[in-house]
Amino acid sequence: MNNLFDLTGKTAIVSGASSGIGVEFAEMLADQGADVAILARRYDKLKAVAEKITAKYPERRIIPIECDVTKENQIIAAVQKVMAEFGKIDILLNNAGIVDSVPIEALEEEAWDRVLDTDLKGVFLMSKHVIRHMKERKYGRIVNTASMLGLTASASIPTHSYNAAKGGVIHLTRGVAATYAKHGITVNAIGPSLFKSEMTENTLFSEQALKMYNAVCPMGRPGNPGELNGAVLYFASDACSYTTGQTLFVDGGWTII
Ligand SMILES: NC(=O)c1ccc[n+]([C@@H]2O[C@H](COP(=O)([O-])OP(=O)(O)OC[C@H]3O[C@@H](n4cnc5c(N)ncnc54)[C@H](OP(=O)(O)O)[C@@H]3O)[C@@H](O)[C@H]2O)c1
């Protein structure tokens, strides 16, 4: 059997790759043989990630591109740059995201917009500008980072804007998947529960929060570094040629109870 997970010769874009799980995804794609463009707002961090991966794989093209996913003009410029460098885009990981935990009665419109613009509109805009290139070649793998909070809610942590955005990502994934299924493009999502990153390390990884999480999570622990990579690689590879519109919750069993 051919190695269904081999990404040699593939090209990818990963948004939100300046910190957290996006860095792991970029490294994993390079491990599997892909050239990777990494996008985020903090260019210095992207550059450091690119240098680290390039040191490991000097033959890979790892391109850091400063891009705010809430700004369509920046996305258009970023996609043009990737096309100029790689000539094609096989894989798009829409991973950039932010969170907010303010109860709805105190949530300012501007704060709501910030989360929805980054977490949901960002997925729309990135997909819009990449999918036309995938359609031309009748091949594409889009993987959206949703969240278990796109399916479940929390009584103790009021992440209302985030719930709305990630729930939107899950259903946007289905809609885009249905429309582009006949064009050789699959669109799937992952739904992580809790992984250590800039987003979570000072809040959900506090001793008290972790105790609460571990008491509910069937596996009794948060995810470890690398434990999202299998799901992302499946959706990014030829292994998922007949799987589309799905969200795989990588959550230690959180969403089954
Ligand atoms: N960690 C978890 O437990 C967990 C669970 C469920 C879902 N997620 C999702 O996983 C994704 C990655 O988060 P993380 O946990 O790895 O947190 P993180 O370390 O804070 O990473 C977030 C990434 O998104 C980028 N980003 C934020 N706003 C952006 C914008 N407007 N334009 C471009 N890039 C932007 C950040 O880079 P810049 O600041 O440099 O722009 C950073 O690279 C998010 O979508 C998050 O919702 C995480």
Side-chain angles (χ1 to χ4, degrees), residues 104-125:
I104 199 158
E105 64 195 287
L107 187 56
E108 296 294 340
E109 187 180 355
E110 200 187 317
W112 167 273
D113 287 346
R114 204 164 35 245
V115 171
L116 271 289
D117 282 359
T118 309
D119 295 9
L120 183 55
K121 193 174 89 173
V123 175
F124 146 56
L125 289 174

Side-chain angles (χ1 to χ4, degrees), residues 15-22 25 39-43 45-46 67-70 94-99 118-119 145-149 162 166 191-200 204-205:
S15 75
S18 61
S19 66
I21 60 176
F25 299 161
L39 276 54
R41 294 165 302 178
R42 290 170 297 175
Y43 186 74
K45 290 210 165 236
L46 288 174
C67 176
D68 182 335
V69 297
T70 68
N94 283 312
N95 173 71
I98 56 171
V99 72
T118 309
D119 295 9
T145 302
S147 167
M148 76 171 183
L149 289 171
Y162 191 74
K166 294 299 189 179
S193 55
L194 182 58
F195 290 77
K196 194 177 262 187
S197 69
E198 283 186 9
M199 181 182 280
T200 57
L204 298 174
F205 272 84

Side-chain angles (χ1 to χ4, degrees), residues 175-191:
V176 180
T179 300
Y180 292 92
K182 290 210 170 91
H183 296 274
I185 300 167
T186 64
V187 188
N188 292 286
I190 56 161

Side-chain angles (χ1 to χ4, degrees), residues 78-89 133 136-137:
V79 172
Q80 274 173 357
K81 187 162 183 194
V82 177
M83 285 301 293
E85 296 272 352
F86 293 165
K88 61 170 187 158
I89 302 163
H133 298 294
E136 272 171 21
R137 294 179 50 247

Side-chain angles (χ1 to χ4, degrees), residues 21 30 41 56 73 111 151 168 178 195 200 247 249:
I21 60 176
R41 294 165 302 178
K56 200 168 162 196
N73 60 339
L151 182 71
F195 290 77
T200 57
T247 297
F249 290 95

Side-chain angles (χ1 to χ4, degrees), residues 13-100:
I13 295 179
V14 184
S15 75
S18 61
S19 66
I21 60 176
V23 176
E24 287 175 26
F25 299 161
E27 287 174 352
M28 178 276 289
L29 294 175
D31 283 342
Q32 297 306 120
D35 292 330
V36 190
I38 51 177
L39 276 54
R41 294 165 302 178
R42 290 170 297 175
Y43 186 74
D44 52 337
K45 290 210 165 236
L46 288 174
K47 204 160 159 276
V49 173
E51 280 166 7
K52 188 177 161 218
I53 301 174
T54 310
K56 200 168 162 196
Y57 301 111
E59 69 283 12
R60 302 264 193 289
R61 290 172 293 174
I62 311 297
I63 310 171
I65 303 176
E66 186 177 332
C67 176
D68 182 335
V69 297
T70 68
K71 307 270 191 304
E72 189 165 21
N73 60 339
Q74 293 190 25
I75 290 174
I76 291 169
V79 172
Q80 274 173 357
K81 187 162 183 194
V82 177
M83 285 301 293
E85 296 272 352
F86 293 165
K88 61 170 187 158
I89 302 163
D90 297 302
I91 299 160
L92 168 64
L93 305 194
N94 283 312
N95 173 71
I98 56 171
V99 72
D100 202 359

